[in-house]
Amino acid sequence: MSWLLVLPLLIPLTTGILCLVLASRPAQRVLGLVGALSLLGSALALLIQVNARGIQAVQVGNWPAPFGITFVADHLSALMVLITGVVAVAVALYALATGDELREHLGYYPLSQLLLFGVNGAFLTGDLFNLYVWFEVLLLASFVLMILGGSKAQLTGGVKYFAVSLFSSILFLVAVGLLYGATGALNMADLATRVGSVAPGLLTALAMLFLGAFGLKAAVFPFFFWLPASYPAPPVMISALFAGLLTKVGVYALIRVFTLLFTQDVGFTHGLILWIAGLTLLLGVLMALAQGELRRLLSFQLVSHIGYMLMGLGILSPLALTGSVFYALNHMIVIAALFLLAGLLHRLQGTTVLVRMGGLYRSHPWLAVLFLLPAFSLAGLPPFSGFWAKFTLVAAGLQAGQYAIVTVALLVGLLTLLSMGLVFAEVFWKDAPQALGQAPGGWGGLVVPVVLLAVLTLGIGLWAEPLLGLSQAAARELLEPGRYIEAVLGVSR
Amino acid sequence: MEILLAFLVGGLSAVGVYLMLRPHLIQFLIGFLVLGNAANLLIFTSGRLGSQFPPLVQPGGTVLTPIANPLPQALILTAIVIGFALAAFGIVLFFRAQQVLHTLNAEAMPESLEAAPAPSPVDEVREERR
């Protein structure tokens, strides 16, 4: 049994339990950081092993594959777990520096570890019903985190988030039940070998149910309304964690089922995904341009950029899937950095409403540079990681002759740049509308995780080869499910 | 039997979805419970119905055909437990929402952060506690 495969699950679980047992605040703070760092370490080790030895699979309790519980790590899973570790470390550092006593007292650390537990479980499981259970694990943790502290804004956002999540969970459960009824299998590799015998019409209907369930989680058009209503409500250390990780679980699940299971009617299903991608891209960025509050604006940007990841899935060529995977990884880093930066600006100016901010370029010029790094990366300017992500997708779109979606992608890139430029003008260039007070409390520690993430996106941009290579390997595995099936079932079919 | 259950599932789903679309949160929660039961019955039906033998095999014994399929029941059991947990959390969440927001009508709740930009969630809570 490969321990590396279960470590990304055991580490957050153990840390979470220890945090509950050792209720003292200093101990929890140390544990939170240690847990995140060891998660990052184990994820790195897992990726190295997957890269060296191919897809890793573990059968829990040694029950043979279609019957037991399976954990699988291919390149996609391992990469997602790795970036989850990166985001976890950044958010843990940020949480250390905020000193939000109230939420630490209410159990922020154990809950955030359980959230990571659920997210990693969803990335690593090889069984569709277990995927449902992992979704519930991460959802329950995220519900509590969302309303932790119980302010009005949090409860309003929390109710909406809760309602939408419940609905998507039931949709997912129904889809799993019907797929089980049609095939008699739940293990994803086993399913992949059996879906061929299902009537094509029924299979397409099931694909639509899955698209609805995961689309709600990933906040794509037309299901994105809940995200900007709820994500800006909790404090930044929590919403950055959500923004970085939760929608990507939905995207991961979409990529997984629409490359492994539902590939029999690509013209319809993936064509529909392309439409959804285009509309998500456009509407998200247009709504972002209309926002007057920084975190709501970033939430709409988050929605918009989910569209890029779906664009690669919709085109479904090796290059396009490489772009999708690379985009998801890059976006987790960039959006977490921007959310954390919004929290830093909030600490400096006491507000995130754009008209009430200003004058920061004069007082903190280096902070302006720090903002521009992830903002340019989001807009896709070279030499940042976002450039390579967009470049790959656009090249794949041109190769496949999908000129409409390429036009939309390029246009949205420009609009993102405009949106980020407007934020820059409002927050940094404009004169401060009110006399700036001294920043309440220390804020030096808050800069550290933002700098780390910004340097990371610059580093990936300048030295894109390794991560692009790994994404390419992931795409290759996704398009040849035979290897995945062989790793899980032990036989190639 | 399958046809009867199919209609039952369809009816329960319709009721559940209708209730979940209502603005009142208690109606929403009851809708969730009804729809959850519909989903469970659906999984049960899509397993296999109508066999009399439990899925038990003696050591060394042969399998009695047709045996009941145990997997849907295991799945439903898990789904029921998760459904209970979510419903319990929902009740507490809505109770707290009623206390703080003084309404259970989702349409009457303010759009967060837009109507009145809160100073800071932390400060707001501290003031409420004073």
Side-chain angles (χ1 to χ4, degrees):
Chain A
M1 173 158 166
S2 165
W3 280 98
L4 281 177
L5 203 56
V6 283
L7 272 184
L9 306 175
L10 288 181
I11 289 171
L13 181 64
T14 321
T15 317
I17 292 173
L18 280 178
C19 280
L20 278 176
V21 175
L22 307 168
S24 88
R25 230 184 111 218
Q28 288 197 0
R29 290 166 71 97
V30 174
L31 268 173
L33 187 60
V34 171
L37 282 172
S38 36
L39 173 62
L40 181 60
S42 73
L44 201 60
L46 175 64
L47 180 64
I48 290 169
Q49 190 174 21
V50 168
N51 204 31
R53 294 198 214 157
I55 301 173
Q56 302 285 310
V58 164
Q59 316 293 345
V60 176
N62 281 334
W63 285 86
F67 306 110
I69 290 172
T70 311
F71 288 109
V72 200
D74 58 357
H75 273 90
L76 176 64
S77 302
L79 282 168
M80 293 301 254
V81 171
L82 177 69
I83 305 293
T84 302
V86 171
V87 174
V89 169
V91 173
L93 283 171
Y94 188 90
L96 273 185
T98 48
D100 187 342
E101 245 177 87
L102 176 73
R103 289 190 176 78
E104 285 178 357
H105 177 70
L106 288 172
Y108 166 75
Y109 285 108
L111 284 166
S112 59
Q113 291 297 328
L114 289 180
L115 183 75
L116 292 174
F117 175 56
V119 168
N120 285 338
F123 287 150
L124 288 174
T125 186
D127 182 299
L128 214 48
F129 191 78
N130 281 326
L131 184 62
Y132 166 75
V133 177
W134 287 115
F135 264 118
E136 298 306 323
V137 170
L138 73 90
L139 277 181
L140 268 173
S142 72
F143 290 154
V144 186
L145 278 174
M146 175 72 78
I147 57 161
L148 202 64
S151 73
K152 277 185 185 174
Q154 278 181 295
L155 279 168
T156 320
V159 165
K160 285 170 188 156
Y161 177 63
F162 178 69
V164 171
S165 303
L166 283 196
F167 192 73
S168 78
S169 290
I170 291 192
L171 211 55
F172 187 11
L173 187 62
V174 168
V176 171
L178 285 174
L179 189 60
Y180 174 73
T183 59
L186 285 168
N187 188 303
M188 285 198 268
D190 195 22
L191 271 171
T193 62
R194 295 192 191 200
V195 283
S197 59
V198 181
L202 178 61
L203 198 59
T204 307
L206 285 172
M208 291 302 103
L209 272 178
F210 277 101
L211 186 61
F214 294 145
L216 263 167
K217 308 240 188 244
V220 300
F221 175 87
F223 306 127
F224 61 75
F225 53 89
W226 59 271
L227 190 146
S230 55
Y231 273 26
V236 158
M237 59 183 184
I238 294 171
S239 51
L241 204 58
F242 285 11
L245 303 181
L246 293 194
T247 49
K248 305 306 178 300
V249 182
V251 172
Y252 165 83
L254 278 174
I255 292 181
R256 179 65 78 206
V257 299
F258 278 93
T259 54
L260 190 61
L261 304 181
F262 305 119
T263 48
Q264 88 298 345
D265 188 6
V266 174
F268 176 69
T269 50
H270 292 68
L272 185 66
I273 290 177
L274 264 188
W275 271 100
I276 293 175
L279 288 167
T280 309
L281 276 167
L282 264 182
L283 277 174
V285 82
L286 290 177
M287 295 290 276
L289 278 168
Q291 298 307 313
E293 201 271 341
L294 186 53
R295 277 188 290 168
R296 273 183 73 85
L297 186 149
L298 289 177
S299 299
F300 276 110
Q301 285 290 2
L302 171 61
V303 169
S304 171
H305 286 243
I306 299 289
Y308 281 113
M309 300 161 214
L310 290 195
M311 172 183 162
L313 179 61
I315 297 171
L316 203 71
S317 69
L319 190 61
L321 270 178
T322 307
S324 269
V325 174
F326 190 84
Y327 205 103
L329 302 172
N330 139 66
H331 193 252
M332 283 161 97
I333 297 170
V334 170
I335 202 75
L338 282 170
F339 263 88
L340 293 179
L341 199 65
L344 175 59
L345 296 176
H346 183 273
R347 179 66 72 91
L348 279 172
Q349 300 216 309
T351 177
T352 45
V353 180
L354 292 174
V355 284
R356 291 208 254 149
M357 304 171 81
L360 271 179
Y361 186 72
R362 194 164 292 169
S363 54
H364 306 85
W366 51 270
L367 201 61
V369 177
L370 190 58
F371 170 79
L372 287 179
L373 296 179
F376 280 172
S377 183
L378 190 73
L381 293 189
F384 301 99
S385 56
F387 168 72
W388 297 108
K390 282 206 180 60
F391 179 75
T392 319
L393 282 173
V394 167
L398 290 177
Q399 247 179 29
Q402 302 278 4
Y403 300 115
I405 192 79
V406 169
T407 315
V408 171
L410 291 172
L411 179 69
V412 170
L414 280 180
L415 288 173
T416 306
L417 189 60
L418 174 65
S419 160
M420 285 321 201
L422 287 175
V423 172
F424 187 76
E426 284 281 330
V427 177
F428 292 99
W429 270 355
K430 185 183 72 181
D431 284 334
Q434 64 214 8
L436 279 178
Q438 200 59 36
W443 50 276
L446 298 182
V447 183
V448 177
V450 186
V451 171
L452 282 181
L453 291 177
V455 168
L456 196 58
T457 177
L458 184 63
I460 294 173
L462 291 175
W463 195 42
E465 186 77 33
L467 197 61
L468 260 178
L470 288 168
S471 309
Q472 207 171 10
R476 218 177 303 131
E477 285 169 359
L478 287 171
L479 285 172
E480 290 166 19
R483 277 197 261 175
Y484 183 91
I485 296 167
E486 191 181 343
V488 175
L489 298 181
V491 282
S492 62
R493 293 184 201 186
Chain B
M1 191 64 182
E2 271 92 349
I3 294 182
L4 205 64
L5 273 171
F7 274 106
L8 181 64
V9 168
L12 283 178
S13 305
V15 172
V17 169
Y18 174 75
L19 284 173
M20 281 182 98
L21 289 172
R22 305 290 299 162
H24 198 273
L25 290 179
I26 298 298
Q27 283 174 321
F28 169 85
L29 199 66
I30 294 172
F32 164 68
L33 289 172
V34 172
L35 193 60
N37 277 318
N40 291 338
L41 279 176
L42 179 95
I43 297 177
F44 184 62
T45 317
S46 71
R48 265 201 309 272
L49 287 182
S51 63
Q52 308 116 31
F53 300 107
L56 301 172
V57 184
Q58 284 175 338
T62 49
V63 180
L64 299 164
T65 53
I67 58 167
N69 186 353
L71 198 59
Q73 294 166 35
L75 301 185
I76 294 169
L77 193 59
T78 316
I80 288 175
V81 173
I82 290 172
F84 268 138
L86 292 175
F89 179 81
I91 291 168
V92 177
L93 172 66
F94 295 161
F95 176 69
R96 189 88 179 106
Q98 161 76 46
Q99 275 187 332
V100 175
L101 304 168
H102 307 293
T103 177
L104 276 179
N105 188 331
E107 281 170 7
M109 289 183 180
E111 186 76 7
S112 60
L113 289 164
E114 205 172 49
S120 148
V122 185
D123 305 336
E124 199 186 312
V125 174
R126 281 199 188 125
E127 262 162 40
E128 274 168 26
R129 299 213 155 181
R130 263 183 216 135

